[in-house]
Amino acid sequence: MSFLPGIPVELVLAALTKAAGNEIESGKLASPESSAALAANAFGWFLEKPELLNPFPGTEQLGWPARTVDIEWQMRFPWRGGRHPWLDAGILTESHLIGVESKRFEPFRDRKAADLSPAYDREEAWGSGMAPWQAMRDSLRAQPMKFRHLDAAQLVKHALGLKAEARRHSKAAQLVYLYAEPRERNGTAISPEAHGRHRDEIAGFAAAVQGADVGFAACSYREWLAGWTGEVAGHANRLIQAFNL
């Protein structure tokens, strides 16, 4: 893939190389449907100028401006071994660690059953403040096909990883679900009804995990980019054009 103007390409490629997704060697990054390419371009522009990153809607009180912006941040659980989640971006503000999970076409691909191993049952590792996330974990085990578009199990894993990682940085934690709303996939239109179901699932999920130690916010790329002005407005416009946002 080609990177947009202003992207520090070497830094972005180094971050993608160290991550677990094998985005470069597998060819995923060059795919027309690449979600990684969207996130790398959106956040890569800010690696060397984090203070210019605009807050996500609903997170304005989380200690902005950003002090650091990284792509492909591993949120390690409080134990060795096993798999630890990677988020598309990690942002440190004065008070928070904000982890971003970016989606493009994934919500409109094949539906997946939720799968959460017993490793996520170590209640002593999370504390009582994660009860809403633990309840969602249990609900997904009881109804693995509860969500059609939202990968809720992945979000639970990310939230638990964020809890542990934020503790290491002495920060509060926030998970942001940032999504595109593509009009078509492989030449087939994605219906307004599908987008509506996706948004409804996000709203229901947000209500269910409200009040936990790890906060949850969601917005579309369009909603986020709409607030960009000044120097970053040009980057927003290039993202919209390059990725049909």
Side-chain angles (χ1 to χ4, degrees), residues 39-245:
N41 275 281
F43 293 97
W45 198 85
F46 298 97
L47 295 181
E48 298 179 303
K49 39 196 171 188
E51 70 282 357
L52 297 182
L53 183 70
N54 273 39
F56 308 99
T59 72
E60 292 84 357
Q61 305 304 314
L62 302 187
W64 298 88
R67 293 183 171 182
T68 65
V69 174
D70 291 282
I71 60 173
E72 295 295 341
W73 188 327
Q74 188 178 43
M75 306 292 172
R76 293 192 60 84
F77 295 128
W79 58 74
R80 295 183 180 181
R83 294 185 177 183
H84 303 258
W86 291 81
L87 273 79
D88 293 299
I91 300 154
L92 283 174
T93 71
E94 181 179 2
S95 58
H96 281 71
L97 169 59
I98 302 171
V100 181
E101 178 59 28
S102 170
K103 297 296 185 187
R104 193 177 176 195
F105 291 96
E106 296 93 335
F108 309 103
R109 292 176 182 160
D110 295 337
R111 188 176 183 182
K112 295 181 180 179
D115 182 17
L116 290 150
S117 79
Y120 303 108
D121 295 344
R122 307 183 193 191
E123 315 295 0
E124 70 283 355
W126 319 125
S128 60
M130 292 296 283
W133 288 101
Q134 293 163 323
M136 176 58 69
R137 173 202 64 197
D138 297 341
S139 174
L140 292 171
R141 283 177 175 155
Q143 296 177 275
M145 304 298 288
K146 183 173 184 177
F147 294 93
R148 179 171 178 176
H149 301 285
L150 191 70
D151 191 343
Q154 183 189 53
L155 294 177
V156 169
K157 296 172 187 177
H158 286 349
L160 297 176
L162 261 170
K163 169 70 175 181
E165 190 71 17
R167 185 185 296 133
R168 296 185 189 99
H169 291 269
S170 300
K171 303 283 187 182
Q174 178 82 16
L175 177 59
V176 171
Y177 183 72
L178 180 65
Y179 56 94
E181 293 189 302
R183 299 175 184 86
E184 63 177 37
R185 179 174 177 252
N186 294 330
T188 300
I190 299 173
S191 70
E193 291 76 17
H195 287 298
R197 288 193 302 268
H198 183 215
R199 281 182 170 262
D200 287 346
E201 289 182 0
I202 294 167
F205 184 91
V209 299
Q210 185 176 8
D213 282 351
V214 176
F216 179 77
C219 67
S220 71
Y221 268 95
R222 274 279 184 175
E223 290 166 334
W224 181 41
L225 299 177
W228 292 21
T229 59
E231 183 179 351
V232 298
H235 182 52
N237 291 331
R238 288 188 289 271
L239 283 169
I240 291 170
Q241 293 172 10
F243 294 96
N244 296 316
L245 299 175

Side-chain angles (χ1 to χ4, degrees), residues 6-30:
I7 304 293
V9 175
E10 290 186 2
L11 293 179
V12 170
L13 291 177
L16 292 171
T17 298
K18 75 177 182 181
N22 195 28
E23 301 287 352
I24 299 175
E25 292 184 4
S26 67
K28 294 178 184 177
L29 194 66

